[in-house]
Amino acid sequence: MSFVAVDPATGKQTNEVPFKSSAQTELKVASAHAAYLDWRLLSVEERVRPLAEMGRLLRERKDVFGTLMTSEMGKPISQATAEAEKCAWVCDYYAEQAPSLLRTVNAPTDGSSSYWTYRPLGIVLGIMPWNFPFWQVIRFGAPALTAGNAALLKHAPSVPACAAALEELFNDAGYPEGLFANLFIDLEATGDLIDDPRVRAVSLTGSVRAGKAVAARAGAAIKPCVLELGGSDPSLILADADLAAAAKSCAMGRLINTGQSCVAAKRFVVVESVREAFEEKLVQAMSEWSVGDPSDPQTDVGPMAREDLRDALHDQVSRSVEAGARLLMGGSIPNRPGAWYPITVLSGVREGMAAYSEELFGPVATIISAADTTDAIEIANGTAFGLGASVYTGDVQRGEQIAAELIDAGSCFVNGIVKSDPRLPFGGTKESGYGRELSPIGILEFTNAKTVWVK
């Protein structure tokens, strides 16, 4: 068994890396644990030095890293290089903010001295997906190491070159040897690692099914998890919205990364009085996105990451159309090699259809009619997911109230697409997971808030 990379644009295999033996994996785990025992004793100021260097290297090597992402998962090259730059932003943020975020907090009590301090846990196992092969890893690994932990990476089997490049990046940035290590291992070995007492926590970005399995295994071992799982993010288009601006924003939210994002806009819940006008503008906005060779800087939408994922998406579209949904554009698999799927818009989507209740992970938008604002909110919340949501309205104050108080999601944006930002917490509710990445909250997830009392 092995990690296998296939170029999504051509369907041709480009790389294969065999799984490592249990003995080889043990060497990496032991090395990570040994490195952690020394690393945890350094000051935060010392721990941010390689982080700043890693940000510089990410910018310097963005074209190399972007090419790897494009070749292994089909990400348009302009978006791939932008992903490397965004990773550098995370490094910059924590390099600047970590000393204050991890500072000791004094708490006057009956002792002569009392306070709490944020201490690292040990090794954090990161189980990461293919869709943002650098961003997901850096946003987990950078704060975990800065907090004093070690990190082991179990990456998606379809991006082996990205996984190897990430380990090299951490080493080149000046982190101690073994503190961050990539593991080419299967699911059974991953489960064994969760059980390993040297592994003290788990961060997973992936499917709901994977999240349930990891949470159960980690829970049995009494270890904390951060789970960032699926999403079926709604965008509410209210009657007073600027429809042209909303349509352009929604097209971007749906099509970035070829629609393969947990936090992508997926369900467009439109108040019926403006539905027809919005449909027309959304189709126009989505038709302006260019589909083509992902290595071409002018391409907006490339192939999907794998043919099996493309086929599963097409099945969801076909079942929805058979149940009565209307195709406004797209919906047919092109006759060409690779994992290509056209930009697709479905309207008339109703409860009971696959496009209504299932996560569509690709360039497919679904339009759902709502009677009014109250109905739109109810439809938006009527899902097992709760990752992100957007509200488009001319009444910004009302939109903010809906976002802050009435939508059940981890992130809710008004008149804009949901996006991750190092300065803001990122994560979900319900089956979209728990725990938070990024922001001050994210760096504290894998720490022990240790109370110290002295008399």
Side-chain angles (χ1 to χ4, degrees):
M1 298 294 289
S2 58
F3 278 48
V4 177
V6 174
D7 184 343
T10 65
K12 295 180 179 179
Q13 182 176 320
T14 59
N15 192 15
E16 183 172 5
V17 179
F19 290 144
K20 301 305 181 183
S21 68
S22 57
Q24 290 171 312
T25 301
E26 168 56 27
L27 286 174
K28 288 209 168 186
V29 177
S31 178
H33 182 66
Y36 156 72
L37 293 177
D38 292 331
W39 180 250
R40 63 179 177 164
L41 302 177
L42 299 181
S43 68
V44 180
E45 289 73 17
E46 291 173 294
R47 295 199 298 261
V48 299
R49 288 173 188 162
L51 185 60
E53 173 64 7
M54 190 160 68
R56 187 190 70 79
L57 290 174
L58 279 158
R59 292 186 176 94
E60 181 182 278
R61 301 176 184 178
K62 65 180 182 180
D63 292 332
V64 175
F65 294 154
T67 299
L68 285 180
M69 291 183 243
T70 297
S71 65
E72 290 197 324
M73 58 78 54
K75 189 187 300 288
I77 188 65
S78 60
Q79 296 174 33
T81 55
E83 180 171 330
E85 291 178 326
K86 190 172 183 179
C87 290
W89 184 21
V90 172
C91 296
D92 295 346
Y93 173 79
Y94 282 116
E96 179 182 345
Q97 297 295 326
S100 62
L101 299 178
L102 296 170
R103 70 183 184 276
T104 295
V105 181
N106 292 310
T109 65
D110 56 342
S112 56
S113 175
S114 52
Y115 55 90
W116 69 84
T117 182
Y118 295 105
R119 299 302 303 155
L121 300 178
I123 296 175
V124 181
L125 173 62
I127 305 171
M128 296 292 121
W130 49 264
N131 58 334
F132 291 93
F134 272 69
W135 169 245
Q136 301 283 4
V137 175
I138 298 297
R139 82 180 192 192
F140 129 75
L145 266 61
T146 305
N149 300 292
L152 295 174
L153 170 64
K154 193 285 180 193
H155 217 324
S158 58
V159 290
C162 290
L166 283 157
E167 180 176 302
E168 181 180 12
L169 172 65
F170 277 85
N171 290 337
D172 290 350
Y175 285 100
E177 184 177 356
L179 190 71
F180 179 96
N182 169 58
L183 304 175
F184 289 117
I185 56 175
D186 61 14
L187 292 178
E188 182 178 356
T190 303
D192 291 340
L193 269 184
I194 296 174
D195 296 338
D196 192 307
R198 293 167 295 184
V199 173
R200 295 287 302 276
V202 184
S203 179
L204 166 77
T205 298
S207 68
V208 174
R209 180 181 178 183
K212 289 180 178 180
V214 166
R217 192 83 176 242
I222 316 180
K223 296 179 182 180
C225 288
V226 169
L227 303 177
E228 197 265 277
L229 309 178
S232 188
D233 287 15
S235 294
L236 282 66
I237 317 299
L238 304 187
D240 61 353
D242 180 333
L243 297 184
K248 286 187 176 294
S249 180
C250 289
M252 177 183 294
R254 177 64 283 198
L255 295 177
I256 283 179
N257 207 40
T258 312
Q260 299 168 117
S261 170
C262 294
V263 77
K266 299 186 177 79
R267 295 180 296 139
F268 301 106
V269 184
V270 188
V271 171
E272 177 59 28
S273 62
V274 296
R275 177 191 53 76
E276 188 173 345
F278 177 77
E279 286 181 353
E280 180 181 340
K281 294 181 185 302
L282 180 66
V283 168
Q284 176 60 38
M286 293 186 74
S287 67
E288 293 171 359
W289 282 62
S290 63
V291 180
D293 179 359
S295 65
D296 183 344
Q298 301 305 311
T299 292
D300 298 317
V301 177
M304 292 181 61
R306 300 197 312 262
E307 290 185 20
D308 63 308
L309 299 172
R310 185 272 313 276
D311 294 344
L313 178 67
H314 182 62
D315 176 67
Q316 291 172 307
V317 170
S318 298
R319 286 188 284 121
S320 299
V321 171
E322 289 170 4
R326 293 182 293 115
L327 267 175
L328 301 185
M329 65 183 298
S332 299
I333 297 177
N335 184 22
R336 61 184 298 188
W340 297 91
Y341 200 73
I343 296 172
T344 299
V345 179
L346 290 170
S347 187
V349 175
R350 302 185 304 275
E351 191 170 2
M353 296 179 181
Y356 187 96
S357 58
E358 300 175 13
E359 180 179 23
L360 303 186
F361 215 70
V364 178
T366 63
I367 297 175
I368 302 169
S369 176
D372 51 27
T373 297
T374 300
D375 189 36
I377 294 169
E378 184 176 344
I379 292 170
N381 288 333
T383 173
F385 297 106
L387 192 55
S390 292
V391 180
Y392 292 89
T393 176
D395 185 344
V396 175
Q397 185 175 3
R398 172 60 171 155
E400 184 176 355
Q401 181 201 15
I402 293 170
E405 301 174 11
L406 302 179
I407 300 295
D408 190 0
S411 298
C412 197
F413 284 46
V414 180
N415 293 329
I417 65 170
V418 178
K419 54 190 176 183
S420 53
D421 182 318
R423 300 164 295 187
L424 298 171
F426 186 83
T429 63
K430 299 186 284 187
E431 288 192 4
S432 289
Y434 53 77
R436 291 295 181 267
E437 296 179 287
L438 305 175
S439 78
I441 297 173
I443 199 171
L444 300 180
E445 284 282 2
F446 297 124
T447 62
N448 167 24
K450 177 187 285 188
T451 292
V452 179
W453 185 93
V454 181
K455 189 171 182 71

